[in-house]
Amino acid sequence: MFRLQGSKVLAVDMTGDAVKAKNGSMVAYDGQMTFKKLSGGGEGIRGMVTRRLTGEQMTVMEVTGQGTCWFADRASEINLVRLQGDKLCVESSNLLATESGLRTGTSFTGLRGATQGNGLFTTTVEGHGQAAIMSDGPAVVLRVSPQHPLTVDPGAYIAHQGAVRQSFQSGVTFRTFLGEGGGEAFQIRFEGDGLVYVQPSERNTIAGDV
């Protein structure tokens, strides 16, 4: 159902089913399609509450029909993630589209959300199917294993999946080593068994002021 055309355009072949995508990300379609605006950031009462608490405006549209839709957003690189009953945690600004068989929700992230200025919750995607996530530049997928934990700059973090635990640690920043200063006051440490997606271009954060 999901396929990439180049690295910055997602093509979705539809046969009467539905796909959820970031509002405004559809760039073209052929065939017969209907579009419905949804309230994003999670489904159900919990999603409504967390959106109100964080003020996040994750607007989602549902596309249904027969034909092909093409999606893109600000020339971002697109990465396909296949879920087989596991969970993907992804920053809401990095989620482009999900297949109809996947459920979206919200999860409390605590300190990391505050350091990024993206609110205290992150988006969760669960079930069987594919999700399309975006990155500023080609994403790098890093393996986390019990023998090899991983520490990530919060501004470069996109998503993670698998049996991964995350914690937050303060200390010297990555930029401190380069003599630039003004970097993140916190880092994210991942332990367990899974994958972490990072981008080569950091988003703006407020962690340096914490």
Side-chain angles (χ1 to χ4, degrees):
M1 185 177 178
F2 280 16
R3 56 188 173 88
L4 293 180
Q5 289 197 203
S7 62
K8 299 181 180 181
V9 178
L10 171 70
V12 182
D13 300 314
M14 305 177 65
T15 57
D17 41 6
V19 62
K20 294 178 182 177
K22 185 176 182 179
N23 195 48
S25 63
M26 191 273 293
V27 295
Y29 73 90
D30 63 22
Q32 299 294 321
M33 300 289 171
T34 59
F35 302 88
K36 179 182 177 182
K37 184 177 179 180
L38 304 174
S39 58
E43 299 167 347
I45 298 298
R46 184 180 181 187
M48 294 172 59
V49 172
T50 55
R51 287 194 302 276
R52 179 169 297 179
L53 287 174
T54 63
E56 292 181 346
Q57 298 296 322
M58 181 188 168
T59 308
V60 178
M61 61 181 177
E62 183 179 70
V63 184
T64 308
Q66 302 265 355
T68 301
C69 263
W70 288 269
F71 300 92
D73 186 53
R74 294 171 298 177
S76 297
E77 299 280 338
I78 301 172
N79 311 270
L80 297 184
V81 179
R82 180 171 294 279
L83 299 177
Q84 297 179 321
D86 51 333
K87 178 190 292 187
L88 172 74
C89 294
V90 56
E91 293 298 324
S92 61
S93 59
N94 294 99
L95 181 61
L96 178 63
T98 59
E99 287 185 348
S100 57
L102 295 174
R103 304 180 306 276
T104 58
T106 52
S107 177
F108 182 72
T109 61
L111 185 58
R112 193 199 77 237
T115 63
Q116 289 185 322
N118 283 359
L120 298 179
F121 296 83
T122 194
T123 299
T124 59
V125 183
E126 299 179 80
H128 292 80
Q130 284 185 299
I133 62 176
M134 299 179 293
S135 58
D136 187 1
V140 178
V141 185
L142 302 174
R143 165 68 65 178
V144 178
S145 68
Q147 296 78 24
H148 297 92
L150 181 70
T151 301
V152 174
D153 187 316
Y157 167 82
I158 301 173
H160 70 270
Q161 69 180 121
V164 176
R165 302 179 306 278
Q166 58 179 335
S167 58
F168 310 97
Q169 58 188 28
S170 59
V172 297
T173 68
F174 292 144
R175 289 196 183 108
T176 300
F177 291 113
L178 302 178
E180 296 179 359
E184 285 68 20
F186 298 91
Q187 301 159 359
I188 317 171
R189 181 178 174 86
F190 294 95
E191 299 176 278
D193 188 10
L195 301 174
V196 177
Y197 299 80
V198 297
Q199 62 184 7
S201 177
E202 293 183 315
R203 65 176 64 84
N204 292 328
T205 70
I206 59 172
D209 296 330
V210 174

